[in-house]
Amino acid sequence: MSRVEKRFITGLEQMQTNIWQVYFDENSKKNCSPEWNHYDNSKKLTEHFENSVIVDLIECKEHEKADYFGVFSHDILKDLPFRENGLPFTPQNLEKVIGENLDIDVFAFQKRRQNKNIVKQAEHYHPGFLKMVKNILIKTGFLSDVPERIDNIILFNYFVAKGAVYERYVNELLRPAMKILEGMPEAYLNAGYKKLNTATIGRFTEAFGKPHYPYHPFILERLPSLFMQKYNYNFKHIF
């Protein structure tokens, strides 16, 4: 791992971010921004994908080293071709927007998504998805069922939160959910995401014994939305 301290100053306020990008080979490393920290996941892949990285960084107390913390995939700058107040998504502009809204606890980057329930929607793409999520919510005691509406949408772990909020999410929901999924055989079935090339099949088989995408990453990426639905944090969609 490598770290780069970033500091943004606006008016009389002072704000620090600690943002990480996850890469898994030299090609994906090229997508990472030099303004952010880089996490080498080339030999650490698990069925939880970048969620394992999030847990590792929280355990290393990285979220305590700045005001706001986030963990993104290597290709986030390609995934978000949108603008906030005319500004394109870049590390500098993200810090600028955060610095202008320091009362916000959580910033997420799904401003244009309109679906009323991204958990129930996922059942159409990944059959059996909803039953697994309900099982996790009940076993963790987090919720008794999937809410009818999910207003604060987060996907792909594309969000930045104050350190204490992020830590609470990991300890209260993400980490217990990962443990439950590890004991759920149906979660290792083919989630039907997309056809893989030979190299990816080999990487997945070596890492967690399956030649396909399991359900884990698709379930886990929707947990932040459920967490935000339960708690009344100051939330803002940007970009």
Side-chain angles (χ1 to χ4, degrees):
M1 292 188 293
S2 63
R3 259 193 108 261
V4 180
E5 292 279 356
K6 297 299 294 181
R7 184 181 294 270
F8 178 80
I9 299 174
T10 174
L12 298 177
E13 300 285 353
Q14 191 176 74
M15 184 275 293
Q16 288 183 299
T17 63
N18 190 6
I19 308 296
W20 292 77
Q21 280 184 285
V22 183
Y23 70 91
F24 58 86
D25 61 16
E26 287 304 312
N27 284 331
S28 57
K29 184 177 181 180
K30 293 174 183 176
N31 295 329
C32 295
S33 171
E35 286 84 5
W36 289 333
N37 308 303
H38 305 158
Y39 189 107
D40 181 358
N41 204 37
S42 58
K43 300 298 182 182
K44 303 175 186 177
L45 178 66
T46 74
E47 58 268 43
H48 306 299
F49 289 74
E50 69 268 18
N51 295 283
S52 296
V53 176
I54 291 171
V55 170
D56 182 37
L57 291 172
I58 292 292
E59 288 178 349
C60 292
K61 307 295 183 183
E62 286 294 329
H63 62 292
E64 296 181 357
K65 297 178 180 178
D67 300 289
Y68 290 90
F69 175 77
V71 181
F72 308 148
S73 70
H74 63 93
D75 53 2
I76 187 171
L77 294 174
K78 295 181 178 180
D79 285 350
L80 292 174
F82 306 120
R83 293 176 178 267
E84 178 72 15
N85 297 327
L87 299 173
F89 184 84
T90 65
Q92 298 85 354
N93 289 336
L94 176 60
E95 289 194 356
K96 177 177 173 59
V97 173
I98 293 173
E100 292 171 348
N101 297 274
L102 296 179
D103 60 318
I104 301 299
D105 298 313
V106 181
F107 297 87
F109 316 141
Q110 279 78 36
K111 192 174 182 178
R112 288 156 181 79
R113 288 187 178 268
Q114 302 298 321
N115 191 280
K116 294 180 180 180
N117 196 313
I118 61 170
V119 174
K120 293 184 177 181
Q121 177 196 34
E123 181 71 22
H124 300 295
Y125 310 122
H126 314 294
F129 183 96
L130 192 57
K131 182 179 179 181
M132 288 184 237
V133 173
K134 288 181 178 180
N135 194 5
I136 288 169
L137 294 177
I138 292 170
K139 284 188 174 181
T140 58
F142 188 76
L143 290 170
S144 60
D145 203 348
V146 175
E148 286 303 311
R149 284 186 59 89
I150 297 179
D151 301 300
N152 298 328
I153 297 174
I154 298 173
L155 284 169
F156 318 119
N157 290 309
Y158 284 176
F159 73 104
V160 174
K162 290 181 177 177
V165 177
Y166 216 121
E167 181 182 23
R168 184 182 185 186
Y169 159 64
V170 169
N171 290 337
E172 193 170 320
L173 186 55
L174 178 61
R175 196 196 309 262
M178 290 166 62
K179 186 69 175 176
I180 291 168
L181 284 169
E182 288 170 5
M184 194 181 289
E186 62 269 33
Y188 287 88
L189 298 175
N190 192 337
Y193 178 50
K194 63 180 180 181
K195 187 175 181 179
L196 303 178
N197 60 36
T198 302
T200 303
I201 288 174
R203 189 162 60 91
F204 284 12
T205 302
E206 180 181 3
F208 49 82
K210 300 296 178 182
H212 52 248
Y213 275 97
Y215 280 76
H216 303 61
F218 308 105
I219 290 173
L220 298 175
E221 72 169 330
R222 287 165 171 82
L223 296 186
S225 299
L226 292 168
F227 183 81
M228 298 306 160
Q229 191 70 19
K230 180 175 179 177
Y231 295 118
N232 191 31
Y233 289 114
N234 289 332
F235 183 95
K236 184 177 178 64
H237 269 132
I238 55 177
F239 297 99

